[in-house]
Amino acid sequence: MASGDDDDPIIEEIDVYLAKSLADKLYLFQYPVRPSTMTYDDVNHLAAKIKPKQQRVELEMAINTMSPNYCRSKGEQIALNVDGTAYDETNTYSAYVFTPTTLLSAICICQQSTTAVLHVTPLTGILQMRPSFSYLDKADNKTREREAANEGGDSSQDEAEEDAKAITVRFARPESEQARQRRIQSYEFLQKKQAEEPWVHLHYHGVKDGRSDHERQYLFCQSVDASENSELVKTPKEYLAMLMPPLAEEKVVKPVGPSNVLSMAQLRTLPLGDQVKTLMKNVKVMPFANLMGLLASGTDSTSALRCIQQVALLVQGNWVVKSDVLYPKNTCSPHSGVPAEVLCRGRDFVMWRFTLERSVMRKEITSIIKLPPEDVKEFLEHVAAPRVNRGWEFLLPTDVDFIKKHPDVAHRQHMLWLGIQSKLEKVFNFSKEDFMPKNSPQPEPVHVSGEQRLKVAQERARENQSSLQKDLDTKRAGSSVHVKQEPVSDREDEPMDTSSPSSSAIPNGSVNGYPSATSPSFDHTNGNGGSPANTSSPELQDFVIKTFRKHFVVTLNEFKRLLNLHLASMPVGRSVFHSISDHMLQEAILLSHCKQIMVPFPAQTTAAADEQKVFGLWETGEEFDKHRRLLFDLFTKNYRVRRNMIQAKLAQELGEVSKAEIDRLLNECCSSHAGMWYLKGTIQS
């Protein structure tokens, strides 16, 4: 005991047991002062009725009319006012005298969960019974009705009965669900339902009744074993906390991040990734140097650079927030209601255009992406400003210093933009050459001397020693990746460059940090340069297997795009692929349980040669392989087919095929357009 309790010593300790038999059904009724000397046990032979409801009880009990405190004449007057002289089943007082009284419960304001009845038994609830004077309301209503009848009635018995009048019958309008819910929740409706609740007659058991004595035994604990009363085997503080739990303080929910106004102190309490995402989401476009200035002093630039690449893309050396960060999935435009997926494609096109030139024309953008003008204006306002006679110009000057300082990041971002460009070309049906000026002078290549290269390398070494070591190891190994484009048919396409992002230093002939067409990194020959490999590497084979396990049907053009994205996402300094040609890619695909599907493209097709090379996953070891093979066989005879043709083919060869199996097959291998089904990647707009 505490020293302050010495003046209140413990006199005796008594064991307390917890009785749970009536824990869910024990209520305490608190009655008002009785209007007579008669106890409630004395009226147990009289009628008692109850209207039980959740958290509410309406009790009707008999009054002792033989008490000297009862006025019979007043009781008769009350009954007459309420029921009138006629008798029917709805009369409140069947004996023409005020005999029962109604008690209506109210929830006690004290906490019933902290109240107990010793032995000790928890209480389910405490109800305070108070007199209800509803009979006075009934008497008032009767009086009003009689007065209205007297005023509107005809005192003359000799006058002829009034002529019959036409009555217009109107039908109530159908009630809407919303109006019905409002009516059900109204006070008038609840009062009506409460009045309509039927009375239930009770059989009252007095204090000395045998049934009452039997039920009272449940107030005592049936077991005196302390181990079965674990609720009471607690310290004094814990026991008091159970009886009187402390009031729960309201938790003030702090905002997880700034919305309109940035609080820098609060922002810096967030993880670094969330800080960068919040800043970019609010600012939209920012140089990397400005971002480092907004972050807390001492923040590692390498970590910040890693975080910003997850939420932004590099445009003219500056970072612009990604479209899917501004327009998350399952949202829509606040201006026009256009889905987020369509908004992201349109905004990506605007950003991609700014990677090619400083200014764009709004009308030209709108004609291609075909989005509402207010959405196009919002895209442009994020990253550009209007200029007289020049359209919309990019907000910030090109950050050449960042590109020179981080050529690996710039190159990786360039590869990402190539993947985005390939996707946009298919969606909007354009080519990069459509936006290139016809006779504009080409920028002069930036030549970097050996001393400048050494200086850049030394600066990077001071920032990140481990990263430099990886770059040096890579250069010594002479590992660089070139995916060479072989001539297809009679046409030679421009080679696809997937040079490894591990290439350190700035290559001669680069423009704005990106390899130009004259850069030595580009190999325009078929197999010259690099270290050719005669066989498919395990890494390439693994990538092929994972790709076809996910996509099932892939064109050669789409596969090269996926490979480019894979190479761009590889960590800095890591290069696992050898020099790769189209022939090697096809060989690797065919060695991975895949086969080429000879799709008969129409004569007027606009598909390129590598888009007409379609490969499908032929064997996985599953029973479902048979379904795919039959589908591929159909597409060797027809460029497009209907669903019923596929269903008939499967039923003919395999018997009954469920709808779920057909849906799975089409979802894995096909795309739908205008009611027809095509192999993935073969639909021509």
Side-chain angles (χ1 to χ4, degrees), residues 144 341 466 621:
R144 293 191 192 97
E341 183 182 359
S466 61

Side-chain angles (χ1 to χ4, degrees), residues 422-573:
S422 176
K423 185 176 180 180
L424 293 175
E425 286 177 350
K426 289 186 176 181
V427 173
F428 297 120
N429 194 23
F430 70 88
S431 64
K432 183 178 178 180
E433 288 72 18
D434 296 339
F435 304 105
M436 296 298 292
K438 300 302 180 184
N439 297 317
S440 60
Q442 296 296 326
E444 292 293 330
V446 179
H447 298 278
V448 183
S449 64
E451 294 180 358
Q452 289 175 319
R453 291 190 184 187
L454 181 60
K455 185 177 180 181
V456 170
Q458 289 173 346
E459 290 177 358
R460 293 184 61 203
R462 284 192 293 268
E463 292 179 3
N464 194 335
Q465 182 66 31
S466 61
S467 176
L468 178 64
Q469 186 62 43
K470 291 180 181 179
D471 291 343
L472 290 175
D473 294 341
T474 303
K475 291 200 310 185
R476 288 168 183 165
S479 60
S480 62
V481 178
H482 306 283
V483 177
K484 298 184 290 296
Q485 180 80 18
E486 293 186 344
V488 181
S489 302
D490 299 328
R491 170 184 166 221
E492 293 189 4
D493 295 330
E494 183 181 351
M496 175 182 64
D497 177 36
T498 56
S499 300
S500 171
S502 63
S503 304
S504 58
I506 304 175
N508 281 336
S510 64
V511 180
N512 199 20
Y514 301 134
S516 65
T518 59
S519 172
S521 302
F522 278 76
D523 188 356
H524 291 268
T525 62
N526 184 17
N528 297 332
S531 54
N534 297 325
T535 59
S536 176
S537 67
E539 293 83 4
L540 178 60
Q541 206 73 39
D542 181 64
F543 175 75
V544 172
I545 293 172
K546 290 180 178 179
T547 301
F548 276 88
R549 284 282 183 171
K550 181 178 180 182
H551 298 281
F552 298 98
V553 175
V554 183
T555 65
L556 181 60
N557 181 69
E558 176 67 10
F559 183 81
K560 290 192 289 186
R561 186 185 72 84
L562 295 173
L563 180 59
N564 266 336
L565 292 176
H566 177 67
L567 292 175
S569 64
M570 294 176 64
V572 178

Side-chain angles (χ1 to χ4, degrees), residues 80-343:
L80 180 63
N81 292 340
V82 173
D83 294 333
T85 56
Y87 176 78
D88 57 32
E89 294 181 356
T90 62
N91 281 9
T92 304
Y93 306 109
S94 58
Y96 301 104
V97 67
F98 179 63
T99 51
T101 182
T102 303
L103 301 176
L104 187 61
S105 71
I107 299 175
C108 181
I109 59 174
C110 62
Q111 294 187 15
Q112 58 197 36
S113 61
T114 61
T115 308
V117 178
L118 296 177
H119 202 240
V120 177
T121 298
L123 285 175
T124 301
I126 302 175
L127 301 175
Q128 293 180 336
M129 308 302 296
R130 298 171 183 173
S132 173
F133 301 100
S134 56
Y135 58 88
L136 296 179
D137 296 333
K138 292 181 181 179
D140 291 342
N141 292 336
K142 291 280 186 180
T143 302
R144 293 191 192 97
E145 290 174 3
R146 284 196 294 269
E147 291 176 354
N150 292 334
E151 292 176 2
D154 191 355
S155 59
S156 175
Q157 300 294 330
D158 299 328
E159 292 185 7
E161 190 174 324
E162 293 184 5
D163 296 336
K165 295 181 180 180
I167 299 176
T168 302
V169 179
R170 294 181 180 177
F171 295 95
R173 293 181 179 178
E175 187 179 28
S176 65
E177 182 63 24
Q178 187 176 7
R180 178 178 172 276
Q181 291 297 331
R182 284 200 302 268
R183 179 174 60 82
I184 291 176
Q185 296 174 7
S186 65
Y187 176 76
E188 181 182 358
F189 181 84
L190 295 177
Q191 286 294 99
K192 183 180 178 182
K193 293 293 289 184
Q194 178 179 318
E196 291 174 352
E197 183 184 0
W199 289 96
V200 179
H201 289 270
L202 297 181
H203 182 64
Y204 183 82
H205 298 277
V207 176
K208 298 179 182 180
D209 189 273
R211 176 64 182 272
S212 299
D213 184 62
H214 174 75
E215 293 292 332
R216 263 197 305 275
Q217 297 303 316
Y218 288 111
L219 294 174
F220 299 94
C221 183
Q222 304 300 311
S223 173
V224 295
D225 187 1
S227 63
E228 297 183 13
N229 293 274
S230 57
E231 290 89 342
L232 300 180
V233 187
K234 296 184 181 297
T235 64
K237 288 185 178 180
E238 292 174 337
Y239 181 66
L240 289 175
M242 287 177 60
L243 289 179
M244 299 185 66
L247 295 176
E249 297 182 0
E250 276 191 30
K251 295 182 179 180
V252 180
V253 180
K254 297 182 179 179
V256 296
S259 54
N260 295 332
V261 179
L262 290 176
S263 168
M264 298 306 298
Q266 184 180 357
L267 179 67
R268 288 172 181 173
T269 62
L270 302 175
L272 180 59
D274 292 340
Q275 292 185 47
V276 173
K277 182 177 180 179
T278 303
L279 286 170
M280 291 305 305
K281 195 172 180 179
N282 282 271
V283 181
K284 309 292 190 303
V285 56
M286 187 189 310
F288 185 70
N290 290 16
L291 175 68
M292 293 302 298
L294 293 173
L295 299 175
S297 59
T299 302
D300 181 36
S301 61
T302 305
S303 301
L305 195 57
R306 187 181 303 113
C307 292
I308 198 172
Q309 291 181 75
Q310 298 175 2
V311 298
L313 292 168
L314 195 66
V315 178
Q316 299 188 26
N318 301 282
W319 291 99
V320 180
V321 63
K322 288 183 177 179
S323 300
D324 55 1
V325 175
L326 287 182
Y327 305 107
K329 193 176 181 180
N330 298 327
T331 60
C332 58
S333 167
H335 307 294
S336 59
V338 175
E341 183 182 359
V342 181
L343 292 176

